[in-house]
Amino acid sequence: MPIINSSLVPQTDFLYMQKAQSLAQEALYITDPNPRVGCIIVKDNQIIGQGSTQKAGGPHAEVMALRDAKAHGHEQDIAGATFYVTLEPCSHFGRTPPCADALIAHKAGRVVVACLDPNPLVAGNGIKKLQQAGITVDYYPELAERTLALNPGFMSRMIVGKPWTWTKLACSLDGKLALNNGVSQWITSAEARADGQYWRARSSAVVTGVGTVLADNPLLNVRAFTVERQPLRVVIDGKFQVPVDAAIFNGAPVLVITHTQHPEKQAMLQDKGAEVLVVEEEGVLYKGAEELVVEEEGKPHKGNEALVVEEKRGLQAKNKYINLNYVWELLAQRGINEIHVEAGAGLNSALLQAGLIDELLVYMAPKIIGPGLDIFQMPALTDLSTVPTFEWVEQQRVGEDIRLRLRNPERWEVLKRHLMGL
């Protein structure tokens, strides 16, 4: 096990690690599926090199910092220097050689680590390798949360096997995402919509439901600024209703997840660069405002039910629903770290029911709509203890609107405690 220091982080170490974490922030949009990492090399209280992880297959933060030090004439100063790294140096061969080996080869004197790498291929082995080479390693668990904040998706994928998911909601003061007639463009301001593009850009995948595709025909790509990497767009479409001429099929990768086999339609979408994944796993989820058909003792019954429950009081759902927990596991296996959801009440409610919403990203306009379409379509609850509860992360004015960011405290605590070794 790596050495875990006391709860008191020396001020010098704290300040240099803050600078390294700022470098990691600069890599927010490019490293996926790798974590965002920053590194600073310090010798005699002077920064002689710094860098952050580049796009997948490119150099990691430690290598970038070494190159920077050499480029500025500090090659002779590297030996014996202190390296501040926001995430434990990797110890395995992946797309690049192990960073721990690079630090050993350059005779690092000391390495300060803000967070252990939960990747099973590393998981303390990077620190162990450095220590075995005679390098002093200081690890402060108290510094781990900032690295987690920059990499919730990577951490979630490694620790719980699912991506970190936020749901973007644009709504009025009274929580309506559209007028009663379905019109929603535009409740929020142009500034709010532009801000949302940055959240798309940092995500691994943008997920929507077929209802949103049919209603709005969105592109769901990043267009407000140039990016090196577009997120994968994913359409949840149990009955395979998505039109082959939908705007989302514009040549860039799209993944359609469905229950329904349709070889001819699949081939047409594949010609457009899309992939169709037919899953057999079934789930029981909120259906939203759509009419459901269930059977009770063999008699058909129609109702505007919000919650479908299999095998409850003799009721058996006639419709099949995609098991979103299973889908999220599949996406994690594909290296998807962060999921950005832009959908309607049906999928939003399904994700809430499945326990998959880790954050809410709410753009609230100073407008009151009255009767309209709700953000979520949920059954009436009778006990406040069962109400899904989130904690405030930040509030920020964006144009004439407010961006509210909330987080599932239990999910966050699981990740934080794991990274801190608790």
Side-chain angles (χ1 to χ4, degrees), residues 127-200:
I127 290 178
K128 183 178 179 181
K129 181 178 279 193
L130 294 171
Q131 290 173 330
Q132 289 176 340
I135 297 173
T136 299
V137 179
D138 288 317
Y139 159 54
Y140 301 108
E142 295 79 9
L143 300 176
E145 190 164 10
R146 176 72 192 278
T147 297
L148 169 58
L150 289 171
N151 298 284
F154 177 80
M155 303 304 186
S156 180
R157 180 164 66 90
M158 292 298 167
I159 295 171
V160 300
K162 292 176 184 175
W164 185 262
T165 302
W166 62 80
T167 294
K168 176 197 166 188
L169 303 167
C171 66
S172 61
L173 274 176
D174 51 347
K176 306 300 181 182
L177 56 78
L179 301 179
N180 219 28
N181 61 8
V183 174
S184 63
Q185 298 180 341
W186 298 102
I187 289 178
T188 54
S189 64
E191 292 87 348
R193 297 194 296 277
D195 187 77
Q197 291 269 314
Y198 289 93
W199 291 86
R200 280 187 190 176

Side-chain angles (χ1 to χ4, degrees), residues 239 283-296 299-310 315-321 346 349-350 353 377-379:
K239 296 180 180 178
V284 183
L285 306 168
Y286 289 118
K287 184 60 178 174
E290 296 182 24
E291 186 178 60
L292 304 174
V293 180
V294 297
E295 287 184 357
E296 182 175 10
K299 298 178 181 179
H301 170 72
K302 294 185 178 181
N304 191 25
E305 305 280 351
L307 180 64
V308 182
V309 183
E310 288 182 340
L315 301 181
Q316 176 68 41
K318 294 284 286 184
N319 296 329
K320 295 180 179 179
Y321 302 93
S349 301
Q353 157 74 1
Q377 291 287 345
M378 298 173 58

Side-chain angles (χ1 to χ4, degrees), residues 26-313:
E26 294 177 6
L28 193 64
Y29 304 107
I30 64 173
T31 66
D32 200 77
N34 293 332
R36 298 124 182 172
V37 181
C39 176
I40 287 178
I41 307 174
V42 177
K43 186 70 171 287
D44 298 328
N45 293 320
Q46 297 292 323
I47 296 176
I48 63 172
Q50 57 187 358
S52 56
T53 300
Q54 301 302 294
K55 64 182 181 180
H60 290 186
E62 298 91 328
V63 173
M64 291 298 292
L66 287 167
R67 291 181 181 179
D68 184 59
K70 294 173 184 178
H72 287 88
H74 294 296
E75 185 167 4
Q76 301 305 315
D77 300 320
I78 295 173
T82 298
F83 287 69
Y84 291 87
V85 191
T86 60
L87 187 68
E88 175 186 5
C90 61
S91 56
H92 66 293
F93 282 89
R95 294 185 177 95
T96 61
C99 291
D101 289 359
L103 301 190
I104 293 169
H106 286 82
K107 297 181 171 55
R110 176 174 176 247
V111 178
V112 181
V113 175
C115 185
L116 297 180
D117 188 340
N119 185 341
L121 297 174
V122 186
N125 290 322
I127 290 178
K128 183 178 179 181
K129 181 178 279 193
L130 294 171
Q131 290 173 330
Q132 289 176 340
I135 297 173
T136 299
V137 179
D138 288 317
Y139 159 54
Y140 301 108
E142 295 79 9
L143 300 176
E145 190 164 10
R146 176 72 192 278
T147 297
L148 169 58
L150 289 171
N151 298 284
F154 177 80
M155 303 304 186
S156 180
R157 180 164 66 90
M158 292 298 167
I159 295 171
V160 300
K162 292 176 184 175
W164 185 262
T165 302
W166 62 80
T167 294
K168 176 197 166 188
L169 303 167
C171 66
S172 61
L173 274 176
D174 51 347
K176 306 300 181 182
L177 56 78
L179 301 179
N180 219 28
N181 61 8
V183 174
S184 63
Q185 298 180 341
W186 298 102
I187 289 178
T188 54
S189 64
E191 292 87 348
R193 297 194 296 277
D195 187 77
Q197 291 269 314
Y198 289 93
W199 291 86
R200 280 187 190 176
R202 68 168 284 176
S203 66
S204 310
V206 177
V207 174
T208 194
V210 67
T212 298
V213 175
L214 293 172
D216 300 335
N217 199 24
L219 282 167
L220 295 181
N221 57 1
V222 180
R223 302 184 299 280
F225 53 93
T226 302
V227 291
E228 294 187 26
R229 174 197 61 84
Q230 286 282 351
L232 173 69
R233 290 164 296 167
V234 180
V235 180
I236 307 296
D237 182 9
K239 296 180 180 178
F240 209 179
Q241 297 171 296
V242 63
V244 295
D245 60 351
I248 200 169
F249 302 118
N250 62 348
V254 178
L255 175 63
V256 179
I257 299 177
T258 183
H259 262 323
T260 308
Q261 293 278 2
H262 194 316
E264 183 179 351
K265 192 173 184 178
Q266 287 177 235
M268 294 173 69
L269 292 181
Q270 287 167 358
D271 289 342
K272 293 193 170 193
E275 178 187 357
V276 178
L277 179 62
V278 181
V279 296
E280 299 297 330
E281 290 282 338
E282 296 179 10
V284 183
L285 306 168
Y286 289 118
K287 184 60 178 174
E290 296 182 24
E291 186 178 60
L292 304 174
V293 180
V294 297
E295 287 184 357
E296 182 175 10
E297 298 178 354
K299 298 178 181 179
H301 170 72
K302 294 185 178 181
N304 191 25
E305 305 280 351
L307 180 64
V308 182
V309 183
E310 288 182 340
E311 305 291 353
K312 184 176 181 182
R313 295 191 307 274

